[in-house]
Amino acid sequence: QVQLVESGGGLVQPGGSLRLSCAASGSIFSINAMGWYRQAPGKQRELVAAITSGGSTNYADSVKGRFTISRDNAKNTVYLQMNSLKPEDTAVYYCNADQVWTGWALDDYWGQGTQVTVSS
């Protein structure tokens, strides 16, 4: 059983910063990519940023230059540093682990979500 546990969400004023963390636990041999998605009310879930095990990154255009994704492969943990936050960044942020190899299966996993609210 693989679990993803997120932390770091909350309420922040426009222009502020937050750091999200997501730790994967369980019987894990390898994880291909880890990433963050978000879903605002009434909108579809969208990719925010992703990082491969080799360190290649991909960002949504709306967050380039403001958000930074990083990863600790030894700890199976991914981070999202969010700076210069805007009200339109308000959403539930979900952690994703793509192609997790447990020794007997290759699956994708999702965290439970953490709320980020940007408001004055």
Side-chain angles (χ1 to χ4, degrees), residues 14 85-91 118-119:
L85 282 160
K86 303 176 181 180
E88 50 263 44
D89 295 317
T90 295
V118 184
S119 175

Side-chain angles (χ1 to χ4, degrees), residues 12-18 82-86 118:
V12 65
Q13 292 187 342
S17 298
L18 282 175
M82 304 185 293
N83 298 329
S84 301
L85 282 160
K86 303 176 181 180
V118 184

Side-chain angles (χ1 to χ4, degrees), residues 6 11 25 27-28 30 38 40 44 46 49 51 64 69 76 83 88-89 91-92 96-98 100 108-109 112 119:
E6 300 141 337
L11 173 64
S25 62
S27 180
I28 298 171
S30 65
R38 67 186 180 187
Q44 289 188 332
E46 62 175 359
I51 184 168
K64 284 181 180 177
I69 191 169
N76 290 325
N83 298 329
E88 50 263 44
D89 295 317
V92 178
N96 171 261
D98 177 63
V100 180
D108 296 348
Y109 294 89
Q112 79 283 359
S119 175

